[in-house]
Amino acid sequence: SWRVNAGIASNAKALGGWETLDCELRGHTLGHVLSGLSLMYASTGEPAYKLRGDSLVNALAQCQDILKQDGYLSAFPQYFIDRCIAGQPVWAPWYTLHKVLAGLVDMYVYTENKKALEIAVKMSSWAYQKLSPLTPEQLTTMKRNEFGGMEETCYNLYAITGNIADKKLAEMFRDDVIMTPLLHHEDKLAKLHANTQIPKITGEARGYEFTGNKDQREIAEFFFKTVNDHHTYVIGGNSDDEHFFEADKLSLHMSARTTETCNTYNMLKLARHLFSWNPDVKYADYYERALYNHILAAQDPETGMASYFMPFKPGLFKVYSTPTNSFWCCVGTAFESNAKFAEAIYYHDDNSIFVNLFIPSELNWKNKGVTITQQTKYPEESSVQFSIDKTNGQNFPINIRYPGWCKDGAMVKVNGKSIAIREQPGSYIKLERKWKQGDKIEVNFPMSLSLVSTNDNASKSAIVYGPIVLAGEMGTEGLSQPVPYAGDANDFNNYSIPDGLITSLNTKSRDIKGWLKRVNGKELIFKTSAVSPRDVTLIPYYKLHGERYVIYWDIQ
C-alpha cells in the first residue's frame, strides 16, 4: 500500500483487514512493526531484527522521495488529512501517521538508524507547515478525529532534535476539550471512545517532562487514578465496545467487547511515566496486574495471533486475528507489547535500584558497574532469587516491590540469613548494604486466594490468586475449531452460549479457602468443591485459550 500510494510498481499481494488497499487506516501496522523490531533488537542484540527494520526504513525513504510532497509519507493520499482538517468523514489519518512516526523514532533510538530519523524529521516538518496556518477553531475541528499519540511522539522527536517546531507541533495536538474537565477533577469520560483519549493523556505526561507544567501532571495523575479506580476490570483493562461508561458500573457491562487490548497497552505507557515521577507501588501493582492478566492473556501462544477484546460475557471465548486478513489496532499494538516484556522490570534513581516485576532477567546498570541476575518461576512459584554478579564496591539500596496483594507477609533472606521486614504491603522492601560479588537475595511473596468484586455489585466477583486472575474452564461446545480466528473482531459477537453453563457459585458466605483448592503445588490449577452442580476447574486467564470461560461469577 505504501508503494502503491507513491506510484511505485509492486507485485506483492495486498494484506487484508485493516490493511486492504481500500481501508482508510491502511499503513498503521507498519509503524508498530518498526517499534517491535526496534524493541526486540534492544532486548536481544539479534542482528536479524535490525536488518529487517533497516530494510523497511529504506523502503519508506524511497516512497517519501518519490512522493515529493515536502516530507509527507503515508500509505494513503494526503487529501485524507485535508478531509480531517475540514471535519469531513475519514478514518483517523493522524492516528496512522502517529504509528509510523513513532516507529521511525524507535528505529533511531534503539537501533541508531539515522535514515529513520531523517524520514521522521521530514514528516514532522511537513506536518508543522501543514498545520501552522490553521486557526484554533480549525485545529479543534481536526482533533475531533482520533489522532493517536501525535502529541507524545512529537515531544519525543523534540527531545532528539531540539527543534522548537517539533515542540510546537506537539502542542497543536493538545485537546483542551478533554483536558479541562480532568484538570478540574471531573470524570466526564462516559460515552467517550476510550483509546482515543488515553494517548492524549500520555502526551500530556510527556509534555510535563519538558515544560514542568503542573497542570499537565495533575491531568495525567487524575486520569490514571480515575480510570484505575472506577473504570477498570479485574484484568487491568477498561471499556465496553471501545467506550468508557459511567464510573463504577462494571457489573452492567459484561459483554463480548469488553477491555480493548490497545487501551491497556496505552495505560501501561502512562503508568511508566507516572512511576518515573513518583515511585509509588500502586503504579507497579497496576503494571503487573495488566501485564499478566491482559497483555499476556491476549496472545495465542501457539500462533502469536492477537485478541482485540477480552470478552467478559460468561461462556464466551477469546477470538484471535488471522495472519494476513485482520490487522486490527490491537494487532498493531501487540507487535510492541510482545516485544517489551523486559520493560519496567527495573528502575533506578541516582543511587538505588527498584525491582518492580518478578521476571527472569539480567540487569546491567552500566553507569554504576552493577550486574544483577533475577531467577524465578513466578507466578507458578512465589519465591524470587537475586544474585549480585558484579558490583562497584559501594553501598546502595535495592528496593524490592512489596505487592499490595501480599497480605500474608513477605519473607526475605540475604546470603541465607532471614531479614526482619518492617515495611508493609504496598511499599518497597529496602535492602541497603555494601553489596559484594556473589551476594544472594531470596524473597518469598506468599500468594492467597481472594474475591475481587465489582464496585457496584458485591456479589459479582472474580477470583484471583495473588496477582493472577483465574478463569473457569467451560469447554468447547459449539466451537468449530480449537482456537477461533477471525478476519473481523465482530465475527463471533452473537455466538450462542450453551445451556446449563455454570455462572454462579453458592458459597454460603464461606471463606474461599474452604471451597476452592489448588490441585497441586507445581501449576496454578484450582478446583471448586460443592458450590455448583458440578465442580469447576480454574486456571490463570493468561493460560486459557481455545475454550469458553467465566471470569466474573455470581457469588451467593
Tab-separated table of all heavy atoms in Angstrom, residues 297 300-301 307 309-320 471-485 492 495-498 501 525-526 534-551 553:
chain	number	residue	atom	x	y	z
A	297	ALA	N	-2.451	-12.392	28.303
A	297	ALA	CA	-3.636	-13.203	28.004
A	297	ALA	C	-4.163	-12.983	26.605
A	297	ALA	O	-4.942	-13.798	26.096
A	297	ALA	CB	-4.731	-12.889	29.021
A	300	ASP	N	-2.342	-15.638	21.470
A	300	ASP	CA	-2.374	-17.092	21.342
A	300	ASP	C	-0.941	-17.609	21.329
A	300	ASP	O	-0.169	-17.277	20.427
A	300	ASP	CB	-3.084	-17.467	20.044
A	300	ASP	CG	-3.035	-18.962	19.773
A	300	ASP	OD1	-2.857	-19.729	20.744
A	300	ASP	OD2	-3.172	-19.364	18.607
A	301	PRO	N	-0.543	-18.419	22.314
A	301	PRO	CA	0.860	-18.848	22.394
A	301	PRO	C	1.275	-19.784	21.264
A	301	PRO	O	2.470	-19.930	20.999
A	301	PRO	CB	0.927	-19.555	23.756
A	301	PRO	CG	-0.465	-19.995	24.027
A	301	PRO	CD	-1.349	-18.945	23.425
A	307	SER	N	-5.650	-10.806	20.295
A	307	SER	CA	-7.062	-10.554	20.561
A	307	SER	C	-7.332	-9.056	20.617
A	307	SER	O	-6.539	-8.291	21.159
A	307	SER	CB	-7.479	-11.173	21.906
A	307	SER	OG	-7.399	-12.569	21.856
A	309	PHE	N	-10.509	-7.883	21.895
A	309	PHE	CA	-11.224	-7.727	23.155
A	309	PHE	C	-11.005	-8.949	24.043
A	309	PHE	O	-10.669	-10.032	23.569
A	309	PHE	CB	-12.731	-7.572	22.908
A	309	PHE	CG	-13.097	-6.421	22.039
A	309	PHE	CD1	-13.512	-6.624	20.728
A	309	PHE	CD2	-13.035	-5.120	22.520
A	309	PHE	CE1	-13.854	-5.553	19.916
A	309	PHE	CE2	-13.376	-4.046	21.705
A	309	PHE	CZ	-13.784	-4.263	20.403
A	310	MET	N	-11.232	-8.746	25.342
A	310	MET	CA	-11.276	-9.844	26.306
A	310	MET	C	-12.722	-9.973	26.778
A	310	MET	O	-13.146	-9.264	27.694
A	310	MET	CB	-10.360	-9.553	27.506
A	310	MET	CG	-8.901	-9.328	27.170
A	310	MET	SD	-8.008	-10.865	26.830
A	310	MET	CE	-8.011	-10.840	25.045
A	311	PRO	N	-13.532	-10.828	26.153
A	311	PRO	CA	-14.968	-10.886	26.472
A	311	PRO	C	-15.216	-11.327	27.918
A	311	PRO	O	-14.642	-12.305	28.385
A	311	PRO	CB	-15.496	-11.942	25.496
A	311	PRO	CG	-14.488	-12.009	24.405
A	311	PRO	CD	-13.178	-11.747	25.067
A	312	PHE	N	-16.106	-10.617	28.607
A	312	PHE	CA	-16.466	-10.983	29.980
A	312	PHE	C	-17.877	-11.543	30.080
A	312	PHE	O	-18.322	-11.896	31.168
A	312	PHE	CB	-16.322	-9.771	30.912
A	312	PHE	CG	-14.886	-9.418	31.209
A	312	PHE	CD1	-14.537	-8.137	31.569
A	312	PHE	CD2	-13.889	-10.378	31.117
A	312	PHE	CE1	-13.207	-7.810	31.845
A	312	PHE	CE2	-12.563	-10.065	31.387
A	312	PHE	CZ	-12.222	-8.783	31.748
A	313	LYS	N	-18.579	-11.631	28.973
A	313	LYS	CA	-19.882	-12.282	28.998
A	313	LYS	C	-19.664	-13.758	29.282
A	313	LYS	O	-18.929	-14.437	28.557
A	313	LYS	CB	-20.595	-12.099	27.658
A	313	LYS	CG	-22.021	-12.625	27.653
A	313	LYS	CD	-22.714	-12.317	26.329
A	313	LYS	CE	-24.146	-12.807	26.333
A	313	LYS	NZ	-24.839	-12.486	25.055
A	314	PRO	N	-20.256	-14.304	30.341
A	314	PRO	CA	-19.976	-15.695	30.722
A	314	PRO	C	-20.236	-16.674	29.572
A	314	PRO	O	-21.275	-16.617	28.918
A	314	PRO	CB	-20.948	-15.937	31.879
A	314	PRO	CG	-21.198	-14.575	32.455
A	314	PRO	CD	-21.185	-13.652	31.284
A	315	GLY	N	-19.265	-17.526	29.331
A	315	GLY	CA	-19.405	-18.545	28.308
A	315	GLY	C	-18.827	-18.180	26.966
A	315	GLY	O	-18.795	-19.022	26.061
A	316	LEU	N	-18.345	-16.948	26.820
A	316	LEU	CA	-17.695	-16.587	25.565
A	316	LEU	C	-16.227	-17.010	25.593
A	316	LEU	O	-15.767	-17.712	26.492
A	316	LEU	CB	-17.858	-15.094	25.298
A	316	LEU	CG	-19.228	-14.680	24.775
A	316	LEU	CD1	-19.264	-13.196	24.458
A	316	LEU	CD2	-19.615	-15.483	23.535
A	317	PHE	N	-15.471	-16.588	24.619
A	317	PHE	CA	-14.117	-17.104	24.422
A	317	PHE	C	-13.291	-16.027	23.724
A	317	PHE	O	-13.833	-15.063	23.158
A	317	PHE	CB	-14.150	-18.379	23.569
A	317	PHE	CG	-15.088	-18.287	22.403
A	317	PHE	CD1	-14.675	-17.721	21.211
A	317	PHE	CD2	-16.407	-18.723	22.515
A	317	PHE	CE1	-15.537	-17.600	20.139
A	317	PHE	CE2	-17.284	-18.603	21.450
A	317	PHE	CZ	-16.854	-18.040	20.243
A	318	LYS	N	-11.987	-16.181	23.752
A	318	LYS	CA	-11.102	-15.244	23.060
A	318	LYS	C	-11.140	-15.511	21.557
A	318	LYS	O	-11.174	-16.657	21.121
A	318	LYS	CB	-9.669	-15.386	23.570
A	318	LYS	CG	-9.507	-15.123	25.056
A	318	LYS	CD	-8.083	-15.437	25.504
A	318	LYS	CE	-7.944	-15.348	27.013
A	318	LYS	NZ	-6.581	-15.740	27.475
A	319	VAL	N	-11.127	-14.441	20.801
A	319	VAL	CA	-11.077	-14.519	19.340
A	319	VAL	C	-9.776	-13.876	18.876
A	319	VAL	O	-9.449	-12.767	19.307
A	319	VAL	CB	-12.277	-13.797	18.704
A	319	VAL	CG1	-12.168	-13.808	17.185
A	319	VAL	CG2	-13.580	-14.455	19.153
A	320	TYR	N	-9.052	-14.566	18.016
A	320	TYR	CA	-7.731	-14.096	17.599
A	320	TYR	C	-7.729	-13.637	16.142
A	320	TYR	O	-8.547	-14.064	15.332
A	320	TYR	CB	-6.694	-15.202	17.778
A	320	TYR	CG	-6.555	-15.669	19.202
A	320	TYR	CD1	-7.133	-16.863	19.626
A	320	TYR	CD2	-5.867	-14.896	20.128
A	320	TYR	CE1	-7.015	-17.281	20.933
A	320	TYR	CE2	-5.753	-15.311	21.439
A	320	TYR	CZ	-6.327	-16.506	21.844
A	320	TYR	OH	-6.223	-16.914	23.142
A	471	ALA	N	-9.649	-18.055	35.605
A	471	ALA	CA	-10.850	-18.195	34.775
A	471	ALA	C	-11.352	-19.629	34.858
A	471	ALA	O	-10.560	-20.580	34.866
A	471	ALA	CB	-10.534	-17.824	33.325
A	472	GLY	N	-12.658	-19.773	34.903
A	472	GLY	CA	-13.255	-21.099	34.954
A	472	GLY	C	-13.369	-21.713	33.575
A	472	GLY	O	-13.928	-21.111	32.659
A	473	GLU	N	-12.834	-22.919	33.415
A	473	GLU	CA	-12.879	-23.607	32.128
A	473	GLU	C	-14.299	-24.099	31.847
A	473	GLU	O	-14.894	-24.812	32.658
A	473	GLU	CB	-11.910	-24.792	32.123
A	473	GLU	CG	-10.458	-24.379	32.239
A	473	GLU	CD	-9.524	-25.574	32.200
A	473	GLU	OE1	-9.847	-26.601	32.836
A	473	GLU	OE2	-8.466	-25.481	31.549
A	474	MET	N	-14.820	-23.756	30.679
A	474	MET	CA	-16.197	-24.091	30.334
A	474	MET	C	-16.318	-24.906	29.054
A	474	MET	O	-17.407	-25.036	28.498
A	474	MET	CB	-17.029	-22.800	30.213
A	474	MET	CG	-17.245	-22.102	31.539
A	474	MET	SD	-18.223	-23.101	32.687
A	474	MET	CE	-17.591	-22.550	34.261
A	475	GLY	N	-15.227	-25.452	28.564
A	475	GLY	CA	-15.287	-26.381	27.442
A	475	GLY	C	-15.392	-25.723	26.084
A	475	GLY	O	-15.347	-24.496	25.936
A	476	THR	N	-15.578	-26.567	25.064
A	476	THR	CA	-15.543	-26.106	23.676
A	476	THR	C	-16.855	-26.353	22.929
A	476	THR	O	-16.890	-26.301	21.705
A	476	THR	CB	-14.402	-26.815	22.927
A	476	THR	OG1	-14.627	-28.240	22.971
A	476	THR	CG2	-13.051	-26.498	23.531
A	477	GLU	N	-17.931	-26.632	23.644
A	477	GLU	CA	-19.198	-26.926	22.978
A	477	GLU	C	-19.591	-25.791	22.026
A	477	GLU	O	-19.601	-24.617	22.395
A	477	GLU	CB	-20.311	-27.131	24.008
A	477	GLU	CG	-21.652	-27.501	23.383
A	477	GLU	CD	-22.749	-27.705	24.414
A	477	GLU	OE1	-22.422	-27.847	25.619
A	477	GLU	OE2	-23.921	-27.701	24.009
A	478	GLY	N	-19.892	-26.172	20.798
A	478	GLY	CA	-20.323	-25.196	19.806
A	478	GLY	C	-19.210	-24.504	19.060
A	478	GLY	O	-19.461	-23.751	18.124
A	479	LEU	N	-17.944	-24.735	19.455
A	479	LEU	CA	-16.828	-24.122	18.745
A	479	LEU	C	-16.416	-25.025	17.584
A	479	LEU	O	-16.178	-26.218	17.759
A	479	LEU	CB	-15.633	-23.904	19.679
A	479	LEU	CG	-15.876	-22.999	20.895
A	479	LEU	CD1	-14.576	-22.760	21.645
A	479	LEU	CD2	-16.474	-21.669	20.473
A	480	SER	N	-16.294	-24.455	16.414
A	480	SER	CA	-15.994	-25.246	15.225
A	480	SER	C	-14.526	-25.592	15.099
A	480	SER	O	-14.148	-26.445	14.310
A	480	SER	CB	-16.449	-24.492	13.971
A	480	SER	OG	-15.788	-23.231	13.888
A	481	GLN	N	-13.691	-24.927	15.854
A	481	GLN	CA	-12.250	-25.187	15.803
A	481	GLN	C	-11.670	-24.919	17.185
A	481	GLN	O	-12.254	-24.189	17.979
A	481	GLN	CB	-11.577	-24.305	14.744
A	481	GLN	CG	-11.917	-22.828	14.864
A	481	GLN	CD	-11.370	-22.029	13.702
A	481	GLN	OE1	-10.362	-22.394	13.119
A	481	GLN	NE2	-12.022	-20.925	13.364
A	482	PRO	N	-10.509	-25.519	17.479
A	482	PRO	CA	-9.950	-25.373	18.832
A	482	PRO	C	-9.729	-23.927	19.253
A	482	PRO	O	-10.003	-23.548	20.384
A	482	PRO	CB	-8.616	-26.132	18.732
A	482	PRO	CG	-8.816	-27.098	17.612
A	482	PRO	CD	-9.713	-26.412	16.637
A	483	VAL	N	-9.207	-23.090	18.349
A	483	VAL	CA	-8.994	-21.684	18.671
A	483	VAL	C	-9.673	-20.846	17.587
A	483	VAL	O	-9.336	-20.970	16.417
A	483	VAL	CB	-7.495	-21.335	18.726
A	483	VAL	CG1	-7.305	-19.859	19.031
A	483	VAL	CG2	-6.787	-22.183	19.776
A	484	PRO	N	-10.640	-20.025	17.945
A	484	PRO	CA	-11.340	-19.227	16.939
A	484	PRO	C	-10.447	-18.102	16.388
A	484	PRO	O	-9.822	-17.361	17.141
A	484	PRO	CB	-12.527	-18.632	17.700
A	484	PRO	CG	-12.600	-19.405	18.976
A	484	PRO	CD	-11.218	-19.855	19.264
A	485	TYR	N	-10.420	-17.997	15.074
A	485	TYR	CA	-9.721	-16.899	14.418
A	485	TYR	C	-10.737	-16.123	13.599
A	485	TYR	O	-11.738	-16.668	13.139
A	485	TYR	CB	-8.597	-17.413	13.513
A	485	TYR	CG	-7.550	-18.185	14.266
A	485	TYR	CD1	-7.584	-19.571	14.306
A	485	TYR	CD2	-6.540	-17.529	14.957
A	485	TYR	CE1	-6.626	-20.290	15.014
A	485	TYR	CE2	-5.583	-18.240	15.667
A	485	TYR	CZ	-5.631	-19.623	15.693
A	485	TYR	OH	-4.694	-20.316	16.409
A	492	PHE	N	-17.718	-13.149	16.023
A	492	PHE	CA	-18.281	-14.087	16.989
A	492	PHE	C	-19.144	-13.416	18.059
A	492	PHE	O	-19.483	-14.022	19.055
A	492	PHE	CB	-17.156	-14.874	17.675
A	492	PHE	CG	-16.434	-15.803	16.747
A	492	PHE	CD1	-15.281	-15.397	16.105
A	492	PHE	CD2	-16.906	-17.084	16.502
A	492	PHE	CE1	-14.607	-16.244	15.244
A	492	PHE	CE2	-16.238	-17.938	15.635
A	492	PHE	CZ	-15.092	-17.529	15.005
A	495	TYR	N	-22.397	-15.202	18.941
A	495	TYR	CA	-22.301	-16.660	19.000
A	495	TYR	C	-23.121	-17.179	20.184
A	495	TYR	O	-23.077	-16.625	21.270
A	495	TYR	CB	-20.836	-17.069	19.176
A	495	TYR	CG	-20.506	-18.411	18.589
A	495	TYR	CD1	-19.996	-18.521	17.306
A	495	TYR	CD2	-20.704	-19.567	19.321
A	495	TYR	CE1	-19.677	-19.759	16.776
A	495	TYR	CE2	-20.397	-20.805	18.797
A	495	TYR	CZ	-19.883	-20.900	17.528
A	495	TYR	OH	-19.582	-22.127	17.011
A	496	SER	N	-23.863	-18.248	19.952
A	496	SER	CA	-24.738	-18.769	21.011
A	496	SER	C	-23.924	-19.383	22.145
A	496	SER	O	-22.823	-19.903	21.929
A	496	SER	CB	-25.692	-19.822	20.439
A	496	SER	OG	-24.963	-20.908	19.886
A	497	ILE	N	-24.490	-19.328	23.336
A	497	ILE	CA	-23.838	-19.877	24.526
A	497	ILE	C	-24.627	-21.103	24.970
A	497	ILE	O	-25.857	-21.060	25.045
A	497	ILE	CB	-23.785	-18.818	25.641
A	497	ILE	CG1	-22.899	-17.645	25.189
A	497	ILE	CG2	-23.250	-19.420	26.939
A	497	ILE	CD1	-22.909	-16.481	26.146
A	498	PRO	N	-23.963	-22.209	25.247
A	498	PRO	CA	-24.675	-23.449	25.609
A	498	PRO	C	-25.537	-23.277	26.861
A	498	PRO	O	-25.232	-22.476	27.750
A	498	PRO	CB	-23.534	-24.437	25.867
A	498	PRO	CG	-22.346	-23.869	25.169
A	498	PRO	CD	-22.506	-22.384	25.213
A	501	LEU	N	-24.664	-23.559	31.437
A	501	LEU	CA	-23.338	-23.044	31.780
A	501	LEU	C	-23.316	-22.591	33.241
A	501	LEU	O	-24.247	-21.924	33.701
A	501	LEU	CB	-22.998	-21.864	30.874
A	501	LEU	CG	-21.558	-21.374	30.906
A	501	LEU	CD1	-20.684	-22.268	30.057
A	501	LEU	CD2	-21.480	-19.933	30.411
A	525	ILE	N	-3.494	-24.561	39.042
A	525	ILE	CA	-4.758	-25.194	38.693
A	525	ILE	C	-5.556	-25.369	39.981
A	525	ILE	O	-5.052	-25.908	40.964
A	525	ILE	CB	-4.539	-26.560	38.017
A	525	ILE	CG1	-3.697	-26.404	36.748
A	525	ILE	CG2	-5.871	-27.213	37.688
A	525	ILE	CD1	-3.341	-27.718	36.091
A	526	PHE	N	-6.796	-24.904	39.959
A	526	PHE	CA	-7.648	-24.934	41.142
A	526	PHE	C	-8.976	-25.597	40.788
A	526	PHE	O	-9.399	-25.596	39.627
A	526	PHE	CB	-7.897	-23.519	41.669
A	526	PHE	CG	-6.649	-22.795	42.095
A	526	PHE	CD1	-5.832	-22.174	41.153
A	526	PHE	CD2	-6.287	-22.722	43.423
A	526	PHE	CE1	-4.676	-21.506	41.531
A	526	PHE	CE2	-5.142	-22.059	43.819
A	526	PHE	CZ	-4.332	-21.452	42.872
A	534	ARG	N	-21.704	-29.016	39.294
A	534	ARG	CA	-20.502	-29.838	39.087
A	534	ARG	C	-19.286	-28.974	39.394
A	534	ARG	O	-19.324	-27.749	39.248
A	534	ARG	CB	-20.432	-30.383	37.665
A	534	ARG	CG	-20.349	-29.337	36.581
A	534	ARG	CD	-20.320	-29.973	35.181
A	534	ARG	NE	-20.205	-28.957	34.142
A	534	ARG	CZ	-21.213	-28.261	33.646
A	534	ARG	NH1	-22.441	-28.469	34.113
A	534	ARG	NH2	-21.017	-27.349	32.707
A	535	ASP	N	-18.230	-29.606	39.853
A	535	ASP	CA	-17.033	-28.853	40.212
A	535	ASP	C	-16.423	-28.206	38.973
A	535	ASP	O	-16.460	-28.763	37.871
A	535	ASP	CB	-16.009	-29.762	40.883
A	535	ASP	CG	-16.495	-30.250	42.255
A	535	ASP	OD1	-17.447	-29.625	42.781
A	535	ASP	OD2	-15.938	-31.235	42.770
A	536	VAL	N	-15.837	-27.032	39.163
A	536	VAL	CA	-15.259	-26.247	38.071
A	536	VAL	C	-13.753	-26.135	38.269
A	536	VAL	O	-13.275	-25.888	39.385
A	536	VAL	CB	-15.882	-24.838	38.017
A	536	VAL	CG1	-15.218	-23.994	36.928
A	536	VAL	CG2	-17.382	-24.928	37.800
A	537	THR	N	-13.008	-26.303	37.190
A	537	THR	CA	-11.561	-26.102	37.207
A	537	THR	C	-11.252	-24.674	36.782
A	537	THR	O	-11.801	-24.175	35.793
A	537	THR	CB	-10.856	-27.088	36.267
A	537	THR	OG1	-11.121	-28.424	36.709
A	537	THR	CG2	-9.348	-26.850	36.254
A	538	LEU	N	-10.372	-24.031	37.543
A	538	LEU	CA	-9.946	-22.672	37.216
A	538	LEU	C	-8.439	-22.647	36.986
A	538	LEU	O	-7.677	-23.293	37.722
A	538	LEU	CB	-10.298	-21.693	38.333
A	538	LEU	CG	-11.788	-21.440	38.574
A	538	LEU	CD1	-12.315	-22.339	39.681
A	538	LEU	CD2	-12.040	-19.966	38.914
A	539	ILE	N	-8.020	-21.893	35.975
A	539	ILE	CA	-6.607	-21.735	35.661
A	539	ILE	C	-6.345	-20.251	35.395
A	539	ILE	O	-7.283	-19.465	35.211
A	539	ILE	CB	-6.182	-22.577	34.442
A	539	ILE	CG1	-6.901	-22.088	33.166
A	539	ILE	CG2	-6.469	-24.055	34.678
A	539	ILE	CD1	-6.390	-22.755	31.898
A	540	PRO	N	-5.079	-19.823	35.353
A	540	PRO	CA	-4.802	-18.419	35.030
A	540	PRO	C	-5.417	-18.027	33.689
A	540	PRO	O	-5.337	-18.779	32.712
A	540	PRO	CB	-3.272	-18.371	34.977
A	540	PRO	CG	-2.832	-19.459	35.894
A	540	PRO	CD	-3.839	-20.561	35.698
A	541	TYR	N	-6.004	-16.864	33.647
A	541	TYR	CA	-6.648	-16.394	32.421
A	541	TYR	C	-5.643	-16.327	31.276
A	541	TYR	O	-5.990	-16.577	30.119
A	541	TYR	CB	-7.277	-15.033	32.683
A	541	TYR	CG	-8.080	-14.490	31.525
A	541	TYR	CD1	-9.044	-15.253	30.880
A	541	TYR	CD2	-7.897	-13.169	31.091
A	541	TYR	CE1	-9.796	-14.744	29.836
A	541	TYR	CE2	-8.643	-12.649	30.052
A	541	TYR	CZ	-9.580	-13.447	29.421
A	541	TYR	OH	-10.324	-12.931	28.385
A	542	TYR	N	-4.396	-16.000	31.595
A	542	TYR	CA	-3.412	-15.893	30.521
A	542	TYR	C	-3.047	-17.253	29.918
A	542	TYR	O	-2.418	-17.317	28.853
A	542	TYR	CB	-2.151	-15.144	30.982
A	542	TYR	CG	-1.272	-15.862	31.992
A	542	TYR	CD1	-0.384	-16.860	31.588
A	542	TYR	CD2	-1.282	-15.501	33.339
A	542	TYR	CE1	0.447	-17.494	32.504
A	542	TYR	CE2	-0.466	-16.129	34.259
A	542	TYR	CZ	0.401	-17.120	33.834
A	542	TYR	OH	1.223	-17.752	34.749
A	543	LYS	N	-3.433	-18.335	30.582
A	543	LYS	CA	-3.154	-19.669	30.052
A	543	LYS	C	-4.367	-20.303	29.377
A	543	LYS	O	-4.263	-21.395	28.823
A	543	LYS	CB	-2.670	-20.597	31.175
A	543	LYS	CG	-1.252	-20.336	31.621
A	543	LYS	CD	-0.764	-21.446	32.527
A	543	LYS	CE	0.732	-21.313	32.807
A	543	LYS	NZ	1.249	-22.443	33.601
A	544	LEU	N	-5.500	-19.642	29.440
A	544	LEU	CA	-6.726	-20.227	28.908
A	544	LEU	C	-6.924	-19.792	27.456
A	544	LEU	O	-7.063	-18.601	27.168
A	544	LEU	CB	-7.923	-19.809	29.755
A	544	LEU	CG	-9.207	-20.605	29.502
A	544	LEU	CD1	-10.028	-20.694	30.780
A	544	LEU	CD2	-10.041	-20.008	28.378
A	545	HIS	N	-6.915	-20.763	26.550
A	545	HIS	CA	-7.065	-20.488	25.124
A	545	HIS	C	-7.920	-21.581	24.487
A	545	HIS	O	-7.869	-22.739	24.890
A	545	HIS	CB	-5.703	-20.438	24.430
A	545	HIS	CG	-4.770	-19.427	25.005
A	545	HIS	ND1	-4.781	-18.099	24.634
A	545	HIS	CD2	-3.803	-19.540	25.959
A	545	HIS	CE1	-3.862	-17.444	25.336
A	545	HIS	NE2	-3.256	-18.287	26.129
A	546	GLY	N	-8.706	-21.198	23.516
A	546	GLY	CA	-9.425	-22.178	22.727
A	546	GLY	C	-10.634	-22.788	23.393
A	546	GLY	O	-11.102	-23.844	22.960
A	547	GLU	N	-11.157	-22.171	24.435
A	547	GLU	CA	-12.388	-22.679	25.034
A	547	GLU	C	-13.147	-21.549	25.716
A	547	GLU	O	-12.634	-20.449	25.913
A	547	GLU	CB	-12.105	-23.807	26.021
A	547	GLU	CG	-11.378	-23.418	27.292
A	547	GLU	CD	-11.283	-24.601	28.262
A	547	GLU	OE1	-12.333	-25.073	28.719
A	547	GLU	OE2	-10.155	-25.030	28.540
A	548	ARG	N	-14.365	-21.862	26.080
A	548	ARG	CA	-15.215	-20.900	26.776
A	548	ARG	C	-14.734	-20.722	28.219
A	548	ARG	O	-14.052	-21.602	28.752
A	548	ARG	CB	-16.669	-21.379	26.759
A	548	ARG	CG	-17.228	-21.585	25.351
A	548	ARG	CD	-18.638	-22.149	25.405
A	548	ARG	NE	-19.140	-22.435	24.066
A	548	ARG	CZ	-19.674	-21.536	23.247
A	548	ARG	NH1	-19.769	-20.273	23.656
A	548	ARG	NH2	-20.096	-21.871	22.047
A	549	TYR	N	-15.145	-19.617	28.838
A	549	TYR	CA	-14.708	-19.384	30.216
A	549	TYR	C	-15.667	-18.454	30.944
A	549	TYR	O	-16.528	-17.805	30.348
A	549	TYR	CB	-13.296	-18.790	30.234
A	549	TYR	CG	-13.150	-17.481	29.490
A	549	TYR	CD1	-13.523	-16.270	30.070
A	549	TYR	CD2	-12.630	-17.452	28.189
A	549	TYR	CE1	-13.386	-15.076	29.397
A	549	TYR	CE2	-12.494	-16.260	27.497
A	549	TYR	CZ	-12.872	-15.076	28.104
A	549	TYR	OH	-12.751	-13.885	27.430
A	550	VAL	N	-15.477	-18.408	32.249
A	550	VAL	CA	-16.160	-17.426	33.112
A	550	VAL	C	-15.096	-16.760	33.977
A	550	VAL	O	-14.260	-17.450	34.574
A	550	VAL	CB	-17.228	-18.092	34.003
A	550	VAL	CG1	-17.809	-17.075	34.995
A	550	VAL	CG2	-18.339	-18.700	33.154
A	551	ILE	N	-15.120	-15.448	34.043
A	551	ILE	CA	-14.219	-14.694	34.926
A	551	ILE	C	-15.001	-14.094	36.092
A	551	ILE	O	-14.645	-14.271	37.246
A	551	ILE	CB	-13.457	-13.600	34.158
A	551	ILE	CG1	-12.371	-14.240	33.289
A	551	ILE	CG2	-12.824	-12.601	35.123
A	551	ILE	CD1	-11.471	-13.252	32.593
A	553	TRP	N	-18.151	-14.125	38.444
A	553	TRP	CA	-19.161	-15.072	38.907
A	553	TRP	C	-20.219	-14.362	39.739
A	553	TRP	O	-19.944	-13.345	40.388
A	553	TRP	CB	-18.511	-16.155	39.775
A	553	TRP	CG	-17.349	-16.848	39.142
A	553	TRP	CD1	-16.051	-16.418	39.108
A	553	TRP	CD2	-17.372	-18.089	38.440
A	553	TRP	NE1	-15.260	-17.328	38.443
A	553	TRP	CE2	-16.046	-18.362	38.020
A	553	TRP	CE3	-18.385	-19.015	38.138
A	553	TRP	CZ2	-15.707	-19.507	37.310
A	553	TRP	CZ3	-18.048	-20.156	37.432
A	553	TRP	CH2	-16.734	-20.398	37.018
